[in-house]
Short mmCIF file of all heavy atoms in Angstrom, two decimals:
data_model
loop_
_atom_site.label_atom_id
_atom_site.label_comp_id
_atom_site.label_asym_id
_atom_site.label_seq_id
_atom_site.Cartn_x
_atom_site.Cartn_y
_atom_site.Cartn_z
N ALA A 775 82.46 86.03 64.15
CA ALA A 775 83.50 86.29 65.15
C ALA A 775 83.61 85.08 66.07
O ALA A 775 82.60 84.59 66.56
CB ALA A 775 83.15 87.53 65.95
N PRO A 776 84.82 84.57 66.30
CA PRO A 776 85.00 83.36 67.12
C PRO A 776 84.36 83.51 68.49
O PRO A 776 83.76 82.55 69.01
CB PRO A 776 86.51 83.24 67.24
CG PRO A 776 87.05 84.00 66.08
CD PRO A 776 86.08 85.08 65.75
N ALA A 777 84.45 84.69 69.05
CA ALA A 777 83.89 84.87 70.40
C ALA A 777 82.37 84.72 70.37
O ALA A 777 81.76 84.20 71.31
CB ALA A 777 84.26 86.25 70.94
N VAL A 778 81.74 85.16 69.29
CA VAL A 778 80.28 85.07 69.19
C VAL A 778 79.87 83.61 69.01
O VAL A 778 78.94 83.13 69.66
CB VAL A 778 79.78 85.93 68.01
CG1 VAL A 778 78.31 85.64 67.74
CG2 VAL A 778 80.00 87.40 68.29
N LEU A 779 80.56 82.90 68.13
CA LEU A 779 80.24 81.50 67.90
C LEU A 779 80.44 80.71 69.19
O LEU A 779 79.62 79.88 69.59
CB LEU A 779 81.14 80.93 66.80
CG LEU A 779 80.87 79.47 66.45
CD1 LEU A 779 79.43 79.26 66.02
CD2 LEU A 779 81.82 78.98 65.36
N ARG A 780 81.52 81.02 69.83
CA ARG A 780 81.86 80.35 71.09
C ARG A 780 80.75 80.57 72.15
O ARG A 780 80.29 79.63 72.80
CB ARG A 780 83.19 80.94 71.58
CG ARG A 780 83.68 80.45 72.88
CD ARG A 780 84.17 79.05 72.74
NE ARG A 780 84.36 78.52 74.07
CZ ARG A 780 85.31 77.65 74.40
NH1 ARG A 780 86.13 77.20 73.48
NH2 ARG A 780 85.41 77.23 75.62
N ALA A 781 80.31 81.81 72.26
CA ALA A 781 79.25 82.12 73.23
C ALA A 781 77.96 81.41 72.86
O ALA A 781 77.22 80.92 73.72
CB ALA A 781 79.03 83.63 73.29
N CYS A 782 77.70 81.33 71.57
CA CYS A 782 76.51 80.63 71.09
C CYS A 782 76.55 79.16 71.49
O CYS A 782 75.58 78.61 71.98
CB CYS A 782 76.42 80.79 69.57
SG CYS A 782 75.29 79.62 68.80
N LEU A 783 77.71 78.53 71.31
CA LEU A 783 77.83 77.11 71.63
C LEU A 783 77.76 76.88 73.14
O LEU A 783 77.11 75.94 73.61
CB LEU A 783 79.14 76.56 71.06
CG LEU A 783 79.24 76.64 69.54
CD1 LEU A 783 80.57 76.06 69.06
CD2 LEU A 783 78.07 75.95 68.86
N ASP A 784 78.44 77.73 73.89
CA ASP A 784 78.36 77.62 75.35
C ASP A 784 76.90 77.68 75.80
O ASP A 784 76.44 76.88 76.63
CB ASP A 784 79.13 78.77 76.02
CG ASP A 784 80.64 78.54 76.01
OD1 ASP A 784 81.05 77.40 75.68
OD2 ASP A 784 81.39 79.48 76.30
N THR A 785 76.20 78.63 75.25
CA THR A 785 74.80 78.82 75.62
C THR A 785 73.96 77.61 75.23
O THR A 785 73.13 77.13 76.00
CB THR A 785 74.24 80.09 74.94
OG1 THR A 785 75.04 81.20 75.33
CG2 THR A 785 72.80 80.32 75.33
N THR A 786 74.17 77.14 74.02
CA THR A 786 73.42 75.98 73.54
C THR A 786 73.56 74.80 74.52
O THR A 786 72.59 74.14 74.87
CB THR A 786 73.92 75.56 72.14
OG1 THR A 786 73.70 76.65 71.25
CG2 THR A 786 73.20 74.34 71.64
N LEU A 787 74.79 74.57 74.96
CA LEU A 787 75.02 73.44 75.87
C LEU A 787 74.37 73.68 77.23
O LEU A 787 73.83 72.75 77.84
CB LEU A 787 76.52 73.19 76.02
CG LEU A 787 77.24 72.78 74.72
CD1 LEU A 787 78.72 72.56 74.99
CD2 LEU A 787 76.61 71.53 74.12
N LEU A 788 74.39 74.91 77.69
CA LEU A 788 73.72 75.22 78.96
C LEU A 788 72.22 74.99 78.86
O LEU A 788 71.60 74.42 79.75
CB LEU A 788 73.99 76.68 79.36
CG LEU A 788 75.39 76.99 79.89
CD1 LEU A 788 75.63 78.50 79.89
CD2 LEU A 788 75.59 76.44 81.29
#
Side-chain angles (χ1 to χ4, degrees):
Chain A
V778 170
L779 182 58
R780 177 73 193 214
C782 164
L783 298 180
D784 282 349
T785 302
T786 298
L787 297 180
L788 286 165

